[in-house]
Amino acid sequence: MARLSLGSLALGALLMLTLHFVPPTDEMDPVRRTLSQYALSPNKWIFDLSVLLVAIGSALVFLELTRRRLVRPLSAPVLLGAVWTASLLIIVAFTKTNWAVGPGTGGVVHRYASLTAFVSLPLAVIMVAGAAFPHATGWRWAARGLGGLSLGWFTLIMIGVVNMYAGDGRPWWRFVPLGLVERLVVTTAVAAIAVVVLGLVLASPQWTQKPPGRSPETPAPVP
């Protein structure tokens, strides 16, 4: 399951990267245009498939963690992982607002699903890293570091929102190069979950074994 998850995440990321180089989406400015803009193009099917593959790969990561009894099924990181996965499905179902046509309910749903996704996955990875790698410090801090970095990029967007409502005058989407920052948010978040699953694939037994004195029947998963 871990290998399937890694393959799904890698293929989804590769398809998203491909959108930057194939026409007509290669003409979109990646610094200012968000990833969701690709869904308004003839390459929408590539965008949708990419997001769905990442959603499937992410769900498999958390299923594998629960299968190995490293986290409980109803633990906080698993629930956050479910929120991330559901948010990705909503992003596919409800397309970004096409401002050439005008605002709509679907665009609003898409926006809030995106914001929820940006927060939920990094938090899930940060919380689950300790349980996934109790004896592998490098893997643990690599996952946490990438998750924290993703939240840091997202914070820049939130600062723009706060500034706008505080009377700064600039729209929040112009406070930072939104397309670039969003790509950094997504890239580091997906890299964080990829570190978790790659660590599970390559893990030696002592990395995930329970501390001495604890039987296999009484694991200590994340509460």
Side-chain angles (χ1 to χ4, degrees):
M1 188 180 295
R3 288 178 174 83
L4 285 174
S5 171
L6 186 60
S8 184
L9 289 171
L11 183 55
L14 180 61
L15 286 174
M16 189 65 72
L17 181 62
T18 300
L19 285 168
H20 293 72
F21 301 101
V22 298
T25 47
D26 61 336
E27 298 179 359
M28 293 183 184
D29 182 3
V31 175
R32 290 294 175 184
R33 296 290 188 174
T34 62
L35 292 169
S36 296
Q37 192 73 25
Y38 295 135
L40 300 178
S41 75
N43 288 339
K44 172 178 165 55
W45 70 272
I46 301 178
F47 173 85
D48 289 349
L49 181 57
S50 169
V51 175
L52 288 173
L53 284 169
V54 172
I56 292 169
S58 301
L60 290 175
V61 174
F62 291 98
L63 284 174
E64 177 66 2
L65 287 168
T66 56
R67 188 186 71 83
R68 296 191 188 191
R69 303 178 70 185
L70 296 172
V71 292
R72 291 191 175 93
L74 295 180
S75 62
V78 172
L79 293 176
L80 285 169
V83 170
W84 155 260
T85 303
S87 297
L88 293 183
L89 298 178
I90 293 171
I91 287 170
V92 171
F94 295 90
T95 307
K96 169 186 171 68
T97 298
N98 185 347
W99 292 106
V101 176
T105 303
V108 174
V109 172
H110 178 97
R111 182 185 309 136
Y112 284 106
S114 299
L115 294 174
T116 303
F118 292 159
V119 175
S120 56
L121 181 60
L123 286 177
V125 172
I126 290 170
M127 295 175 68
V128 83
F133 309 115
H135 308 295
T137 305
W139 287 102
R140 181 168 66 249
W141 285 106
R144 285 177 174 170
L146 287 166
L149 186 58
S150 180
L151 289 176
W153 293 122
F154 179 70
T155 300
L156 293 178
I157 299 175
M158 291 295 97
I159 291 174
V161 174
V162 172
N163 276 357
M164 184 182 74
Y165 285 105
D168 177 77
R170 282 179 296 175
W172 64 267
W173 56 88
R174 293 181 181 173
F175 179 77
V176 293
L178 186 60
L180 176 61
V181 173
E182 186 202 56
R183 282 166 173 78
L184 291 171
V185 172
V186 173
T187 299
T188 48
V190 174
I193 192 67
V195 166
V196 172
V197 68
L198 183 61
L200 294 176
V201 170
L202 300 178
S204 57
Q206 67 268 24
W207 286 7
T208 53
Q209 69 184 9
K210 299 298 181 287
R214 188 181 296 276
S215 69
E217 290 74 29
T218 57
V222 170

PDB file of all heavy atoms in Angstrom, residues 58-92:
ATOM      1  N   SER A  58      -2.636  10.218  -0.966  1.00  0.00           N
ATOM      2  CA  SER A  58      -2.681  10.711   0.411  1.00  0.00           C
ATOM      3  C   SER A  58      -3.533   9.802   1.289  1.00  0.00           C
ATOM      4  O   SER A  58      -3.160   9.480   2.427  1.00  0.00           O
ATOM      5  CB  SER A  58      -3.238  12.137   0.436  1.00  0.00           C
ATOM      6  OG  SER A  58      -2.446  13.008  -0.331  1.00  0.00           O
ATOM      7  N   ALA A  59      -4.687   9.403   0.774  1.00  0.00           N
ATOM      8  CA  ALA A  59      -5.557   8.519   1.546  1.00  0.00           C
ATOM      9  C   ALA A  59      -4.858   7.196   1.858  1.00  0.00           C
ATOM     10  O   ALA A  59      -4.966   6.671   2.976  1.00  0.00           O
ATOM     11  CB  ALA A  59      -6.848   8.264   0.766  1.00  0.00           C
ATOM     12  N   LEU A  60      -4.109   6.683   0.900  1.00  0.00           N
ATOM     13  CA  LEU A  60      -3.393   5.424   1.115  1.00  0.00           C
ATOM     14  C   LEU A  60      -2.313   5.562   2.184  1.00  0.00           C
ATOM     15  O   LEU A  60      -2.045   4.613   2.927  1.00  0.00           O
ATOM     16  CB  LEU A  60      -2.768   4.944  -0.198  1.00  0.00           C
ATOM     17  CG  LEU A  60      -3.750   4.451  -1.266  1.00  0.00           C
ATOM     18  CD1 LEU A  60      -3.001   4.118  -2.560  1.00  0.00           C
ATOM     19  CD2 LEU A  60      -4.507   3.222  -0.774  1.00  0.00           C
ATOM     20  N   VAL A  61      -1.691   6.743   2.274  1.00  0.00           N
ATOM     21  CA  VAL A  61      -0.678   6.966   3.313  1.00  0.00           C
ATOM     22  C   VAL A  61      -1.290   6.767   4.693  1.00  0.00           C
ATOM     23  O   VAL A  61      -0.760   6.023   5.528  1.00  0.00           O
ATOM     24  CB  VAL A  61      -0.079   8.386   3.219  1.00  0.00           C
ATOM     25  CG1 VAL A  61       0.865   8.634   4.395  1.00  0.00           C
ATOM     26  CG2 VAL A  61       0.663   8.589   1.921  1.00  0.00           C
ATOM     27  N   PHE A  62      -2.421   7.415   4.933  1.00  0.00           N
ATOM     28  CA  PHE A  62      -3.030   7.345   6.252  1.00  0.00           C
ATOM     29  C   PHE A  62      -3.647   5.973   6.513  1.00  0.00           C
ATOM     30  O   PHE A  62      -3.671   5.516   7.664  1.00  0.00           O
ATOM     31  CB  PHE A  62      -4.043   8.475   6.416  1.00  0.00           C
ATOM     32  CG  PHE A  62      -3.405   9.823   6.480  1.00  0.00           C
ATOM     33  CD1 PHE A  62      -3.336  10.633   5.352  1.00  0.00           C
ATOM     34  CD2 PHE A  62      -2.824  10.271   7.652  1.00  0.00           C
ATOM     35  CE1 PHE A  62      -2.710  11.878   5.409  1.00  0.00           C
ATOM     36  CE2 PHE A  62      -2.198  11.519   7.720  1.00  0.00           C
ATOM     37  CZ  PHE A  62      -2.132  12.312   6.594  1.00  0.00           C
ATOM     38  N   LEU A  63      -4.127   5.312   5.465  1.00  0.00           N
ATOM     39  CA  LEU A  63      -4.593   3.937   5.646  1.00  0.00           C
ATOM     40  C   LEU A  63      -3.436   3.020   6.037  1.00  0.00           C
ATOM     41  O   LEU A  63      -3.588   2.141   6.893  1.00  0.00           O
ATOM     42  CB  LEU A  63      -5.239   3.440   4.344  1.00  0.00           C
ATOM     43  CG  LEU A  63      -6.638   3.966   4.035  1.00  0.00           C
ATOM     44  CD1 LEU A  63      -7.080   3.509   2.644  1.00  0.00           C
ATOM     45  CD2 LEU A  63      -7.641   3.492   5.085  1.00  0.00           C
ATOM     46  N   GLU A  64      -2.276   3.234   5.435  1.00  0.00           N
ATOM     47  CA  GLU A  64      -1.112   2.420   5.763  1.00  0.00           C
ATOM     48  C   GLU A  64      -0.640   2.682   7.195  1.00  0.00           C
ATOM     49  O   GLU A  64      -0.248   1.758   7.907  1.00  0.00           O
ATOM     50  CB  GLU A  64       0.017   2.695   4.770  1.00  0.00           C
ATOM     51  CG  GLU A  64       1.317   1.960   5.044  1.00  0.00           C
ATOM     52  CD  GLU A  64       1.198   0.447   4.889  1.00  0.00           C
ATOM     53  OE1 GLU A  64       0.112  -0.052   4.530  1.00  0.00           O
ATOM     54  OE2 GLU A  64       2.208  -0.234   5.127  1.00  0.00           O
ATOM     55  N   LEU A  65      -0.682   3.934   7.608  1.00  0.00           N
ATOM     56  CA  LEU A  65      -0.292   4.251   8.980  1.00  0.00           C
ATOM     57  C   LEU A  65      -1.218   3.577   9.996  1.00  0.00           C
ATOM     58  O   LEU A  65      -0.762   3.083  11.031  1.00  0.00           O
ATOM     59  CB  LEU A  65      -0.310   5.771   9.180  1.00  0.00           C
ATOM     60  CG  LEU A  65       0.825   6.549   8.504  1.00  0.00           C
ATOM     61  CD1 LEU A  65       0.527   8.043   8.519  1.00  0.00           C
ATOM     62  CD2 LEU A  65       2.160   6.277   9.176  1.00  0.00           C
ATOM     63  N   THR A  66      -2.512   3.564   9.696  1.00  0.00           N
ATOM     64  CA  THR A  66      -3.440   2.892  10.605  1.00  0.00           C
ATOM     65  C   THR A  66      -3.295   1.377  10.509  1.00  0.00           C
ATOM     66  O   THR A  66      -3.419   0.674  11.515  1.00  0.00           O
ATOM     67  CB  THR A  66      -4.893   3.296  10.298  1.00  0.00           C
ATOM     68  OG1 THR A  66      -5.195   3.022   8.919  1.00  0.00           O
ATOM     69  CG2 THR A  66      -5.108   4.774  10.565  1.00  0.00           C
ATOM     70  N   ARG A  67      -3.001   0.860   9.315  1.00  0.00           N
ATOM     71  CA  ARG A  67      -2.810  -0.588   9.158  1.00  0.00           C
ATOM     72  C   ARG A  67      -1.615  -1.077   9.966  1.00  0.00           C
ATOM     73  O   ARG A  67      -1.647  -2.163  10.556  1.00  0.00           O
ATOM     74  CB  ARG A  67      -2.615  -0.935   7.684  1.00  0.00           C
ATOM     75  CG  ARG A  67      -2.606  -2.436   7.390  1.00  0.00           C
ATOM     76  CD  ARG A  67      -2.258  -2.723   5.955  1.00  0.00           C
ATOM     77  NE  ARG A  67      -0.864  -2.444   5.673  1.00  0.00           N
ATOM     78  CZ  ARG A  67       0.138  -3.297   5.924  1.00  0.00           C
ATOM     79  NH1 ARG A  67      -0.111  -4.469   6.486  1.00  0.00           N
ATOM     80  NH2 ARG A  67       1.371  -2.974   5.630  1.00  0.00           N
ATOM     81  N   ARG A  68      -0.574  -0.264  10.024  1.00  0.00           N
ATOM     82  CA  ARG A  68       0.610  -0.617  10.815  1.00  0.00           C
ATOM     83  C   ARG A  68       0.442  -0.287  12.291  1.00  0.00           C
ATOM     84  O   ARG A  68       1.365  -0.463  13.077  1.00  0.00           O
ATOM     85  CB  ARG A  68       1.843   0.112  10.267  1.00  0.00           C
ATOM     86  CG  ARG A  68       2.219  -0.277   8.859  1.00  0.00           C
ATOM     87  CD  ARG A  68       3.591   0.263   8.485  1.00  0.00           C
ATOM     88  NE  ARG A  68       3.881   0.045   7.076  1.00  0.00           N
ATOM     89  CZ  ARG A  68       5.081   0.220   6.524  1.00  0.00           C
ATOM     90  NH1 ARG A  68       6.101   0.605   7.274  1.00  0.00           N
ATOM     91  NH2 ARG A  68       5.256   0.020   5.235  1.00  0.00           N
ATOM     92  N   ARG A  69      -0.727   0.243  12.635  1.00  0.00           N
ATOM     93  CA  ARG A  69      -1.066   0.580  14.018  1.00  0.00           C
ATOM     94  C   ARG A  69      -0.124   1.626  14.581  1.00  0.00           C
ATOM     95  O   ARG A  69       0.181   1.648  15.774  1.00  0.00           O
ATOM     96  CB  ARG A  69      -1.065  -0.680  14.888  1.00  0.00           C
ATOM     97  CG  ARG A  69      -2.022  -1.761  14.381  1.00  0.00           C
ATOM     98  CD  ARG A  69      -1.965  -3.005  15.213  1.00  0.00           C
ATOM     99  NE  ARG A  69      -2.542  -2.782  16.546  1.00  0.00           N
ATOM    100  CZ  ARG A  69      -2.523  -3.700  17.505  1.00  0.00           C
ATOM    101  NH1 ARG A  69      -1.962  -4.885  17.288  1.00  0.00           N
ATOM    102  NH2 ARG A  69      -3.070  -3.440  18.679  1.00  0.00           N
ATOM    103  N   LEU A  70       0.315   2.523  13.727  1.00  0.00           N
ATOM    104  CA  LEU A  70       1.151   3.637  14.161  1.00  0.00           C
ATOM    105  C   LEU A  70       0.297   4.823  14.611  1.00  0.00           C
ATOM    106  O   LEU A  70       0.765   5.677  15.367  1.00  0.00           O
ATOM    107  CB  LEU A  70       2.089   4.073  13.029  1.00  0.00           C
ATOM    108  CG  LEU A  70       3.103   3.018  12.592  1.00  0.00           C
ATOM    109  CD1 LEU A  70       3.848   3.476  11.345  1.00  0.00           C
ATOM    110  CD2 LEU A  70       4.081   2.731  13.726  1.00  0.00           C
ATOM    111  N   VAL A  71      -0.920   4.894  14.106  1.00  0.00           N
ATOM    112  CA  VAL A  71      -1.893   5.899  14.550  1.00  0.00           C
ATOM    113  C   VAL A  71      -3.249   5.225  14.660  1.00  0.00           C
ATOM    114  O   VAL A  71      -3.512   4.225  13.988  1.00  0.00           O
ATOM    115  CB  VAL A  71      -1.991   7.097  13.576  1.00  0.00           C
ATOM    116  CG1 VAL A  71      -0.707   7.910  13.581  1.00  0.00           C
ATOM    117  CG2 VAL A  71      -2.317   6.629  12.171  1.00  0.00           C
ATOM    118  N   ARG A  72      -4.103   5.776  15.492  1.00  0.00           N
ATOM    119  CA  ARG A  72      -5.460   5.252  15.626  1.00  0.00           C
ATOM    120  C   ARG A  72      -6.329   5.795  14.486  1.00  0.00           C
ATOM    121  O   ARG A  72      -6.119   6.911  14.010  1.00  0.00           O
ATOM    122  CB  ARG A  72      -6.058   5.643  16.971  1.00  0.00           C
ATOM    123  CG  ARG A  72      -5.402   4.944  18.153  1.00  0.00           C
ATOM    124  CD  ARG A  72      -6.220   5.159  19.430  1.00  0.00           C
ATOM    125  NE  ARG A  72      -5.666   4.398  20.535  1.00  0.00           N
ATOM    126  CZ  ARG A  72      -4.779   4.865  21.411  1.00  0.00           C
ATOM    127  NH1 ARG A  72      -4.359   6.118  21.292  1.00  0.00           N
ATOM    128  NH2 ARG A  72      -4.325   4.115  22.385  1.00  0.00           N
ATOM    129  N   PRO A  73      -7.321   5.034  14.059  1.00  0.00           N
ATOM    130  CA  PRO A  73      -8.179   5.477  12.943  1.00  0.00           C
ATOM    131  C   PRO A  73      -8.855   6.817  13.183  1.00  0.00           C
ATOM    132  O   PRO A  73      -9.068   7.580  12.245  1.00  0.00           O
ATOM    133  CB  PRO A  73      -9.202   4.346  12.820  1.00  0.00           C
ATOM    134  CG  PRO A  73      -8.496   3.144  13.366  1.00  0.00           C
ATOM    135  CD  PRO A  73      -7.637   3.657  14.480  1.00  0.00           C
ATOM    136  N   LEU A  74      -9.215   7.120  14.430  1.00  0.00           N
ATOM    137  CA  LEU A  74      -9.908   8.379  14.724  1.00  0.00           C
ATOM    138  C   LEU A  74      -8.988   9.397  15.381  1.00  0.00           C
ATOM    139  O   LEU A  74      -9.455  10.307  16.071  1.00  0.00           O
ATOM    140  CB  LEU A  74     -11.126   8.110  15.619  1.00  0.00           C
ATOM    141  CG  LEU A  74     -12.245   7.274  14.985  1.00  0.00           C
ATOM    142  CD1 LEU A  74     -13.396   7.073  15.957  1.00  0.00           C
ATOM    143  CD2 LEU A  74     -12.745   7.922  13.699  1.00  0.00           C
ATOM    144  N   SER A  75      -7.689   9.269  15.150  1.00  0.00           N
ATOM    145  CA  SER A  75      -6.744  10.228  15.712  1.00  0.00           C
ATOM    146  C   SER A  75      -6.778  11.531  14.924  1.00  0.00           C
ATOM    147  O   SER A  75      -7.255  11.584  13.781  1.00  0.00           O
ATOM    148  CB  SER A  75      -5.329   9.642  15.700  1.00  0.00           C
ATOM    149  OG  SER A  75      -4.920   9.379  14.372  1.00  0.00           O
ATOM    150  N   ALA A  76      -6.245  12.589  15.513  1.00  0.00           N
ATOM    151  CA  ALA A  76      -6.261  13.912  14.878  1.00  0.00           C
ATOM    152  C   ALA A  76      -5.572  13.928  13.513  1.00  0.00           C
ATOM    153  O   ALA A  76      -6.115  14.485  12.557  1.00  0.00           O
ATOM    154  CB  ALA A  76      -5.637  14.940  15.821  1.00  0.00           C
ATOM    155  N   PRO A  77      -4.362  13.333  13.367  1.00  0.00           N
ATOM    156  CA  PRO A  77      -3.724  13.398  12.046  1.00  0.00           C
ATOM    157  C   PRO A  77      -4.492  12.642  10.969  1.00  0.00           C
ATOM    158  O   PRO A  77      -4.524  13.080   9.813  1.00  0.00           O
ATOM    159  CB  PRO A  77      -2.338  12.769  12.284  1.00  0.00           C
ATOM    160  CG  PRO A  77      -2.448  12.026  13.557  1.00  0.00           C
ATOM    161  CD  PRO A  77      -3.466  12.732  14.372  1.00  0.00           C
ATOM    162  N   VAL A  78      -5.137  11.544  11.327  1.00  0.00           N
ATOM    163  CA  VAL A  78      -5.921  10.798  10.344  1.00  0.00           C
ATOM    164  C   VAL A  78      -7.141  11.614   9.932  1.00  0.00           C
ATOM    165  O   VAL A  78      -7.498  11.668   8.746  1.00  0.00           O
ATOM    166  CB  VAL A  78      -6.342   9.423  10.901  1.00  0.00           C
ATOM    167  CG1 VAL A  78      -7.310   8.727   9.953  1.00  0.00           C
ATOM    168  CG2 VAL A  78      -5.114   8.547  11.113  1.00  0.00           C
ATOM    169  N   LEU A  79      -7.794  12.254  10.883  1.00  0.00           N
ATOM    170  CA  LEU A  79      -8.949  13.087  10.561  1.00  0.00           C
ATOM    171  C   LEU A  79      -8.531  14.276   9.692  1.00  0.00           C
ATOM    172  O   LEU A  79      -9.232  14.634   8.742  1.00  0.00           O
ATOM    173  CB  LEU A  79      -9.620  13.573  11.841  1.00  0.00           C
ATOM    174  CG  LEU A  79     -10.289  12.484  12.695  1.00  0.00           C
ATOM    175  CD1 LEU A  79     -10.843  13.073  13.983  1.00  0.00           C
ATOM    176  CD2 LEU A  79     -11.386  11.777  11.912  1.00  0.00           C
ATOM    177  N   LEU A  80      -7.383  14.877   9.992  1.00  0.00           N
ATOM    178  CA  LEU A  80      -6.885  15.969   9.158  1.00  0.00           C
ATOM    179  C   LEU A  80      -6.530  15.475   7.757  1.00  0.00           C
ATOM    180  O   LEU A  80      -6.756  16.170   6.760  1.00  0.00           O
ATOM    181  CB  LEU A  80      -5.666  16.614   9.812  1.00  0.00           C
ATOM    182  CG  LEU A  80      -5.949  17.519  11.012  1.00  0.00           C
ATOM    183  CD1 LEU A  80      -4.662  17.875  11.732  1.00  0.00           C
ATOM    184  CD2 LEU A  80      -6.681  18.784  10.573  1.00  0.00           C
ATOM    185  N   GLY A  81      -5.982  14.260   7.688  1.00  0.00           N
ATOM    186  CA  GLY A  81      -5.702  13.663   6.375  1.00  0.00           C
ATOM    187  C   GLY A  81      -6.975  13.438   5.584  1.00  0.00           C
ATOM    188  O   GLY A  81      -7.002  13.632   4.358  1.00  0.00           O
ATOM    189  N   ALA A  82      -8.044  13.052   6.279  1.00  0.00           N
ATOM    190  CA  ALA A  82      -9.337  12.865   5.611  1.00  0.00           C
ATOM    191  C   ALA A  82      -9.884  14.202   5.116  1.00  0.00           C
ATOM    192  O   ALA A  82     -10.463  14.281   4.023  1.00  0.00           O
ATOM    193  CB  ALA A  82     -10.324  12.198   6.567  1.00  0.00           C
ATOM    194  N   VAL A  83      -9.688  15.251   5.909  1.00  0.00           N
ATOM    195  CA  VAL A  83     -10.125  16.587   5.494  1.00  0.00           C
ATOM    196  C   VAL A  83      -9.365  17.031   4.243  1.00  0.00           C
ATOM    197  O   VAL A  83      -9.946  17.586   3.301  1.00  0.00           O
ATOM    198  CB  VAL A  83      -9.924  17.598   6.648  1.00  0.00           C
ATOM    199  CG1 VAL A  83     -10.127  19.023   6.156  1.00  0.00           C
ATOM    200  CG2 VAL A  83     -10.885  17.296   7.788  1.00  0.00           C
ATOM    201  N   TRP A  84      -8.057  16.799   4.224  1.00  0.00           N
ATOM    202  CA  TRP A  84      -7.231  17.126   3.054  1.00  0.00           C
ATOM    203  C   TRP A  84      -7.739  16.388   1.821  1.00  0.00           C
ATOM    204  O   TRP A  84      -7.931  16.988   0.754  1.00  0.00           O
ATOM    205  CB  TRP A  84      -5.781  16.781   3.350  1.00  0.00           C
ATOM    206  CG  TRP A  84      -4.904  16.480   2.179  1.00  0.00           C
ATOM    207  CD1 TRP A  84      -4.538  15.236   1.737  1.00  0.00           C
ATOM    208  CD2 TRP A  84      -4.259  17.406   1.290  1.00  0.00           C
ATOM    209  NE1 TRP A  84      -3.706  15.332   0.640  1.00  0.00           N
ATOM    210  CE2 TRP A  84      -3.522  16.653   0.349  1.00  0.00           C
ATOM    211  CE3 TRP A  84      -4.237  18.792   1.197  1.00  0.00           C
ATOM    212  CZ2 TRP A  84      -2.780  17.241  -0.669  1.00  0.00           C
ATOM    213  CZ3 TRP A  84      -3.490  19.393   0.190  1.00  0.00           C
ATOM    214  CH2 TRP A  84      -2.775  18.619  -0.738  1.00  0.00           C
ATOM    215  N   THR A  85      -7.962  15.093   1.963  1.00  0.00           N
ATOM    216  CA  THR A  85      -8.419  14.289   0.834  1.00  0.00           C
ATOM    217  C   THR A  85      -9.780  14.753   0.340  1.00  0.00           C
ATOM    218  O   THR A  85     -10.006  14.908  -0.872  1.00  0.00           O
ATOM    219  CB  THR A  85      -8.481  12.803   1.233  1.00  0.00           C
ATOM    220  OG1 THR A  85      -7.190  12.378   1.695  1.00  0.00           O
ATOM    221  CG2 THR A  85      -8.896  11.940   0.054  1.00  0.00           C
ATOM    222  N   ALA A  86     -10.705  14.991   1.276  1.00  0.00           N
ATOM    223  CA  ALA A  86     -12.036  15.469   0.893  1.00  0.00           C
ATOM    224  C   ALA A  86     -11.956  16.836   0.212  1.00  0.00           C
ATOM    225  O   ALA A  86     -12.678  17.103  -0.755  1.00  0.00           O
ATOM    226  CB  ALA A  86     -12.935  15.536   2.121  1.00  0.00           C
ATOM    227  N   SER A  87     -11.059  17.690   0.704  1.00  0.00           N
ATOM    228  CA  SER A  87     -10.907  19.021   0.109  1.00  0.00           C
ATOM    229  C   SER A  87     -10.439  18.919  -1.337  1.00  0.00           C
ATOM    230  O   SER A  87     -10.897  19.672  -2.203  1.00  0.00           O
ATOM    231  CB  SER A  87      -9.918  19.851   0.928  1.00  0.00           C
ATOM    232  OG  SER A  87     -10.397  20.074   2.238  1.00  0.00           O
ATOM    233  N   LEU A  88      -9.535  17.988  -1.611  1.00  0.00           N
ATOM    234  CA  LEU A  88      -9.067  17.798  -2.984  1.00  0.00           C
ATOM    235  C   LEU A  88     -10.201  17.336  -3.893  1.00  0.00           C
ATOM    236  O   LEU A  88     -10.310  17.782  -5.048  1.00  0.00           O
ATOM    237  CB  LEU A  88      -7.924  16.783  -3.018  1.00  0.00           C
ATOM    238  CG  LEU A  88      -6.614  17.197  -2.342  1.00  0.00           C
ATOM    239  CD1 LEU A  88      -5.553  16.109  -2.533  1.00  0.00           C
ATOM    240  CD2 LEU A  88      -6.099  18.535  -2.877  1.00  0.00           C
ATOM    241  N   LEU A  89     -11.035  16.460  -3.394  1.00  0.00           N
ATOM    242  CA  LEU A  89     -12.179  15.996  -4.191  1.00  0.00           C
ATOM    243  C   LEU A  89     -13.147  17.150  -4.476  1.00  0.00           C
ATOM    244  O   LEU A  89     -13.704  17.253  -5.575  1.00  0.00           O
ATOM    245  CB  LEU A  89     -12.900  14.861  -3.463  1.00  0.00           C
ATOM    246  CG  LEU A  89     -12.079  13.593  -3.213  1.00  0.00           C
ATOM    247  CD1 LEU A  89     -12.911  12.568  -2.449  1.00  0.00           C
ATOM    248  CD2 LEU A  89     -11.574  13.001  -4.529  1.00  0.00           C
ATOM    249  N   ILE A  90     -13.341  18.018  -3.485  1.00  0.00           N
ATOM    250  CA  ILE A  90     -14.211  19.178  -3.677  1.00  0.00           C
ATOM    251  C   ILE A  90     -13.609  20.142  -4.695  1.00  0.00           C
ATOM    252  O   ILE A  90     -14.314  20.720  -5.527  1.00  0.00           O
ATOM    253  CB  ILE A  90     -14.452  19.889  -2.333  1.00  0.00           C
ATOM    254  CG1 ILE A  90     -15.272  18.983  -1.407  1.00  0.00           C
ATOM    255  CG2 ILE A  90     -15.162  21.228  -2.533  1.00  0.00           C
ATOM    256  CD1 ILE A  90     -15.389  19.499   0.016  1.00  0.00           C
ATOM    257  N   ILE A  91     -12.285  20.299  -4.662  1.00  0.00           N
ATOM    258  CA  ILE A  91     -11.605  21.176  -5.617  1.00  0.00           C
ATOM    259  C   ILE A  91     -11.844  20.703  -7.047  1.00  0.00           C
ATOM    260  O   ILE A  91     -12.020  21.506  -7.967  1.00  0.00           O
ATOM    261  CB  ILE A  91     -10.095  21.230  -5.297  1.00  0.00           C
ATOM    262  CG1 ILE A  91      -9.868  22.069  -4.034  1.00  0.00           C
ATOM    263  CG2 ILE A  91      -9.292  21.799  -6.466  1.00  0.00           C
ATOM    264  CD1 ILE A  91      -8.464  21.995  -3.495  1.00  0.00           C
ATOM    265  N   VAL A  92     -11.864  19.388  -7.237  1.00  0.00           N
ATOM    266  CA  VAL A  92     -12.138  18.835  -8.569  1.00  0.00           C
ATOM    267  C   VAL A  92     -13.607  19.027  -8.947  1.00  0.00           C
ATOM    268  O   VAL A  92     -13.936  19.373 -10.085  1.00  0.00           O
ATOM    269  CB  VAL A  92     -11.761  17.346  -8.623  1.00  0.00           C
ATOM    270  CG1 VAL A  92     -12.236  16.707  -9.929  1.00  0.00           C
ATOM    271  CG2 VAL A  92     -10.250  17.176  -8.485  1.00  0.00           C
TER     272      VAL A  92
END
